[in-house]
Amino acid sequence: MLLQRCTHKIKQILNCKSVSNSSQINATHSFYNNYEAIIYFIRYLRKRQIVVGTEPIKDRNKTNKVAPKKMVFKHDAPNTYDFLTFNLKEWWQHKKDEFVQMMEDDQYKRHVKLGPDVAAAKFVIYFGGKVRFQNHSEWLHKTKTHEISKLPTEYDTTYVLEELDLNGYPLRFEHLHFISGLYYLKKLNLRGCKSIDDWALDKISTEYPSLEHLDISECENVTEKGLEALYRMPNLKKLTTTNFYGTAAFDLTCFMLEDVNPYLTCEVQQMKYKRIPAS
């Protein structure tokens, strides 16, 4: 009953357009004179957590962002490779990439028990790269099946991977996990790998503490920002790279690396035609 009286008086006050209106003055006086009604109405507002003239305030921390169970389609924006976007070309390419990644993961997991050196060697050989072990003069690649069959089937500490050649290999950032843990690797050739960028160089700089020769020439996505991370490699003696955009900052970064590491020699290849960086 008190709630109905309070709301009735408030409606009378809000409906009056002029302050000097006598009906508004009478309604206001009668409302504020009723102390019991005011206290009841304030408690009611606090209990409901509302403000007069607005909707109830919702606690954002308690909102559930999960889509309703009865919804057939996703509530978020679809990706370009989703089937429901009817972009069949990108959908099919995405499915092929997922299948290739699954095969690569399965191939690597088969050889993890052999140690990081032999496991990385078999993975690189299987997908078309070349490897050379310590105290071995010959390179192993996919065509030398007789030599590959001689690799150990159990963990052997005498097989230490010393050189990796991934020239032109379509290396992805995820593949760096397969060739990690090679603490005695001396030479790494990533010439022409388009997927090698500044993020990949940052990971490489922490994965191979004994690396002496790094070839990242013809890697289009390498800039001076990625070269800055190579200061973490104190044993690096030769760095081969390409200044695709012909920037002075790229050459200056190589000079700074040589200044930090007095044993390092940077071989910077200049492009005949400079490329314009993407904006």
Side-chain angles (χ1 to χ4, degrees):
M1 186 66 182
L2 291 175
L3 178 61
Q4 293 179 356
R5 290 171 56 189
C6 292
T7 53
H8 178 68
K9 295 298 181 182
I10 290 175
K11 288 181 180 179
Q12 290 182 359
I13 296 172
L14 296 177
N15 291 332
C16 298
K17 298 181 180 180
S18 175
V19 180
S20 61
N21 195 321
S22 59
S23 60
Q24 182 184 8
I25 297 173
N26 295 332
T28 305
H29 280 249
S30 60
F31 176 77
Y32 284 104
N33 289 335
N34 196 337
Y35 179 78
E36 184 181 358
I38 295 174
I39 298 300
Y40 181 85
F41 191 67
I42 291 175
R43 289 178 179 176
Y44 172 77
L45 292 179
R46 289 179 178 177
K47 184 178 179 181
R48 294 293 303 273
Q49 295 183 351
I50 62 173
V51 180
V52 177
T54 61
E55 297 180 356
I57 299 175
K58 298 180 180 180
D59 190 359
R60 295 183 179 181
N61 297 327
K62 296 182 180 180
T63 55
N64 189 8
K65 297 182 180 180
V66 181
K69 296 182 180 180
K70 296 183 179 180
M71 290 187 66
V72 179
F73 303 102
K74 296 180 180 179
H75 66 287
D76 53 350
N79 297 311
T80 56
Y81 52 80
D82 286 345
F83 181 78
L84 295 178
T85 60
F86 299 103
N87 195 345
L88 299 181
K89 185 177 180 180
E90 290 196 15
W91 172 79
W92 179 245
Q93 183 63 38
H94 180 69
K95 289 298 179 182
K96 289 195 296 184
D97 293 341
E98 285 185 341
F99 177 76
V100 171
Q101 186 175 356
M102 182 186 68
M103 293 294 294
E104 291 171 348
D105 294 340
D106 182 68
Q107 183 69 21
Y108 180 75
K109 289 177 181 178
R110 292 179 185 178
H111 309 298
V112 169
K113 62 181 180 179
L114 304 178
D117 294 272
V118 178
K122 288 195 173 185
F123 171 80
V124 171
I125 292 172
Y126 181 81
F127 290 100
K130 295 190 298 183
V131 302
R132 190 183 69 81
F133 286 96
Q134 194 177 40
N135 301 326
H136 291 74
S137 58
E138 294 184 358
W139 286 81
L140 297 181
H141 47 84
K142 206 169 186 178
T143 57
K144 295 186 176 182
T145 55
H146 180 67
E147 295 293 334
I148 297 173
S149 61
K150 294 181 180 180
L151 292 176
T153 56
E154 295 181 357
Y155 180 67
D156 191 347
T157 56
T158 60
Y159 279 84
V160 178
L161 201 59
E162 196 169 51
E163 293 188 34
L164 275 180
D165 188 355
L166 296 169
N167 187 357
Y169 181 80
L171 190 70
R172 296 201 308 267
F173 186 81
E174 292 79 10
H175 291 169
L176 296 178
H177 171 68
F178 301 150
I179 57 175
S180 62
L182 309 177
Y183 300 110
Y184 301 100
L185 189 69
K186 300 294 183 182
K187 185 176 180 180
L188 179 61
N189 185 4
L190 300 172
R191 183 184 182 93
C193 294
K194 296 182 179 180
S195 58
I196 296 298
D197 53 7
D198 297 337
W199 290 95
L201 284 184
D202 184 73
K203 183 173 178 60
I204 289 173
S205 64
T206 58
E207 288 291 341
Y208 311 108
S210 301
L211 196 67
E212 296 180 357
H213 184 193
L214 176 62
D215 189 350
I216 51 173
S217 58
E218 299 182 12
C219 294
E220 303 176 359
N221 298 317
V222 172
T223 66
E224 60 274 5
K225 297 179 181 179
L227 293 180
E228 293 174 359
L230 300 182
Y231 79 92
R232 302 191 186 102
M233 309 176 74
N235 296 316
L236 192 63
K237 296 179 180 179
K238 186 177 180 180
L239 173 64
T240 307
T241 184
T242 305
N243 189 356
F244 271 94
Y245 305 104
T247 60
F250 195 94
D251 295 332
L252 182 60
T253 304
C254 293
F255 294 150
M256 293 177 65
L257 288 175
E258 291 178 342
D259 187 45
V260 173
N261 186 359
Y263 303 102
L264 175 63
T265 301
C266 295
E267 182 182 337
V268 183
Q269 301 175 0
Q270 302 293 337
M271 294 294 295
K272 185 176 181 181
Y273 300 100
K274 298 180 182 179
R275 299 190 178 185
I276 301 175
S279 57

